Amino acid sequence: MLADALTLLLDAQDAPDWARLGAHLPYEWIAQAVAETGRASLRHRRLPAEQVVWLVVALALYRHQSISEVIDALDLALPAVQAPFVSKSAVAQARQRLGEAPLKWLFQTSARAWSSQDKNAYLFKGLSLLAMDGTTLRTADSPANREHFGAQSYASGAVASYPQVRGVTLTAIPTHLVVDAAFGRYDSNEMLYAKTLVPGIPDHTLTVFDKGFLAAEILCGLTANGQNRHFLIPAKGNTQWEVVEGTPEDAIVQMRVSPQARNKSPTLPQFWRARAIAAIDPQGRKKVLLTSLTDRQRFKASEIVACYGRRWQIETSYRELKQSMMGRALTLRSKTVEGVQQEIWGALTAYNLIRVEIAKAALEANCAPTEISFVRAFHTIQYELRWAAVTRAQGKLPALLQRLRQRLVSILNEKRPGRRCDRVVKSTPKRYAVRVLKKVLI
């Protein structure tokens, strides 16, 4: 990741030496992204399509800076004597010419490659651990965004002030790398986006779902296709089944597929089976976990329960993306529909760039990637990029990367033993202090 960016920044005075781009995000990927989507620049420009791809990714890394500031600070535009600066209109036109497709292609290609790297170091009984959940993002309040994405409606009839994007992500639990994503209108159910992601789930995986995704169409579609693809999901309070064998604490159960589901997907069986494991969450509440891991000797009930406890790490990845990277500026920059989609794919790629660098540093330090502070790693990468752009340290790229890895290893998370923080929903902080008016009794 940084090999790419640093090489590009160090050589910004001259035409970029594309052949020297680093190993994390090869130039071949970027060139293929713009070529296969038909967005390659046909004439010489200060911001050719390949440079604009880097710009969109960099905008996510420097969320609180304007587009012009990012271009100037990182020298992303090709040099020109007659026009030392790039106008705002030229940048907007360059992003419009690029569109969404190259960023989507780049994210999907890089995510598949990065998630398959070093996966053997983070297996659970030979299976890669994944988690699927949904989230939302707020867009600028433009007529185009409101018409395309929609907004939240309240029981009173009021409509939210900003349009919103609803999305579902498939995330690798050990590294927090986003493996795949789907998003669109806010009023579309998360189940619709989840169905589009299920066919792309890799083989030899265990995917942990939130109970909102409990549906035969999703879970049976996962296990019936591919090789060795399994699920783990909590049962709903009204889920009904018949015990086939086992004990109340660990049993094989059979559930009926609803007629409505079979009408939508005629290939579904009339009944489907799963393993039901009784568990108690940290708050002392009882729940039942349903899984396709039916081999009791290989997959102990206690191990499966502990594995489900790691599912909440996907919430941490959302916090890292939406609060740490975006700095709680939850409204996206773009005012056009295609610009919003482009920005989201760029943000996901930028997040994965940070996460893959953390994963590499964790392997060198022989620790878990989650033991390295994301916030401090994110800030370190920002500082290194700026430092390289200012100093133009020719020939020192390997030393810069080695120093970055060492700094990432040195900022491990410090966890106090015995500390436990309950999951609670807190009120949004007020921007201004609340003035309390006191009544004066006369």
Side-chain angles (χ1 to χ4, degrees), residues 154-176:
Y154 301 96
S156 61
V159 181
S161 302
Y162 291 88
Q164 287 181 293
V165 179
R166 186 182 298 280
V168 174
T169 61
L170 181 69
T171 303
I173 293 178
T175 60
H176 290 194

Side-chain angles (χ1 to χ4, degrees), residues 121-156:
Y122 307 108
L123 296 181
F124 169 73
K125 302 287 186 176
L127 301 175
S128 299
L129 285 178
L130 304 174
M132 184 179 291
D133 204 355
T135 188
T136 60
L137 288 170
R138 194 169 65 193
T139 74
D141 188 15
S142 66
N145 287 344
R146 186 170 288 277
E147 179 181 359
H148 183 84
F149 296 111
Q152 183 178 6
S153 299
Y154 301 96
S156 61

Side-chain angles (χ1 to χ4, degrees), residues 16 18 30 34 39-55 76-78 94 97-98:
W18 300 113
I30 300 177
V34 298
R39 300 304 173 95
S41 299
L42 300 180
R43 63 186 181 90
H44 181 74
R45 300 179 183 273
R46 292 205 61 195
L47 282 174
E50 295 83 358
Q51 295 286 87
V52 181
V53 171
W54 273 112
L55 170 62
L76 292 178
L78 299 183
R97 288 193 302 269
L98 182 68

Side-chain angles (χ1 to χ4, degrees), residues 35-114:
E36 292 203 2
T37 55
R39 300 304 173 95
S41 299
L42 300 180
R43 63 186 181 90
H44 181 74
R45 300 179 183 273
R46 292 205 61 195
L47 282 174
E50 295 83 358
Q51 295 286 87
V52 181
V53 171
W54 273 112
L55 170 62
V56 176
V57 175
L59 290 177
L61 295 174
Y62 298 92
R63 181 63 179 84
H64 289 291
Q65 295 187 10
S66 67
I67 297 179
S68 300
E69 289 176 324
V70 174
I71 293 177
D72 295 340
L74 302 184
D75 273 340
L76 292 178
L78 299 183
V81 177
Q82 298 179 349
F85 301 102
V86 180
S87 65
K88 295 181 179 179
S89 60
V91 177
Q93 293 172 8
R95 288 189 60 190
Q96 292 173 0
R97 288 193 302 269
L98 182 68
E100 169 202 6
L103 272 300
K104 179 180 180 179
W105 190 97
L106 181 63
F107 164 77
Q108 293 176 337
T109 301
S110 59
R112 286 193 299 266
W114 293 334

Side-chain angles (χ1 to χ4, degrees), residues 20-21 61 67 116 124 178 197 218 236 238 249 268 273 280 299 321 329 339 352 364 399:
R20 291 180 54 201
L21 291 177
L61 295 174
I67 297 179
S116 63
F124 169 73
V178 180
L197 297 181
I218 292 179
K236 297 180 180 179
N238 59 352
E249 289 74 24
L268 288 176
R273 291 187 176 186
I280 299 177
F299 302 100
L321 175 63
N352 276 354
E364 294 184 9

Side-chain angles (χ1 to χ4, degrees), residues 191-376:
M191 302 278 285
L192 300 177
Y193 301 121
K195 292 176 185 178
T196 65
L197 297 181
V198 167
I201 294 179
D203 296 334
H204 309 290
T205 54
L206 172 61
T207 304
V208 186
F209 294 88
D210 182 73
K211 65 180 179 181
F213 297 102
L214 180 56
E217 185 176 359
I218 292 179
L219 303 180
C220 291
L222 174 67
T223 56
N225 301 292
Q227 296 181 0
N228 205 20
R229 302 197 306 176
H230 297 277
F231 64 83
L232 176 60
I233 187 171
K236 297 180 180 179
N238 59 352
T239 305
Q240 297 180 356
W241 58 69
E242 177 185 353
V243 176
V244 177
E245 61 174 272
T247 64
E249 289 74 24
D250 190 350
I252 302 297
V253 299
Q254 179 173 271
M255 292 165 283
R256 181 185 295 273
V257 179
S258 67
Q260 295 82 0
R262 297 190 67 190
N263 289 335
K264 294 180 181 178
S265 182
T267 59
L268 288 176
Q270 187 175 359
F271 296 93
W272 62 291
R273 291 187 176 186
R275 181 181 175 188
I277 300 174
I280 299 177
D281 62 17
Q283 285 73 36
R285 296 171 298 189
K286 295 182 179 180
K287 64 172 57 180
V288 176
L289 301 178
L290 299 176
T291 180
S292 56
L293 300 174
T294 57
D295 189 345
R296 292 191 181 93
Q297 292 184 348
R298 183 182 177 188
F299 302 100
K300 305 297 183 183
S302 58
E303 295 173 337
I304 294 178
V305 173
C307 184
Y308 176 77
R310 302 180 61 184
R311 167 253 181 276
W312 298 109
Q313 293 184 15
I314 192 173
E315 303 292 348
T316 304
S317 70
Y318 288 148
R319 183 189 65 189
E320 294 166 348
L321 175 63
K322 298 169 65 174
Q323 296 186 14
S324 300
M325 274 186 56
M326 300 179 65
R328 300 194 67 179
L330 300 183
T331 304
L332 300 174
R333 298 175 186 258
S334 304
K335 293 181 174 58
T336 64
V337 173
E338 192 169 34
V340 168
Q341 296 168 336
Q342 180 191 77
E343 187 175 347
I344 293 176
W345 293 122
L348 291 174
T349 303
Y351 175 77
N352 276 354
L353 284 171
I354 299 173
R355 268 293 160 196
V356 75
E357 193 63 40
I358 290 176
K360 295 295 183 182
L363 283 178
E364 294 184 9
N366 194 26
C367 67
T370 53
E371 293 184 51
I372 297 179
S373 169
F374 177 86
V375 174
R376 296 188 64 184

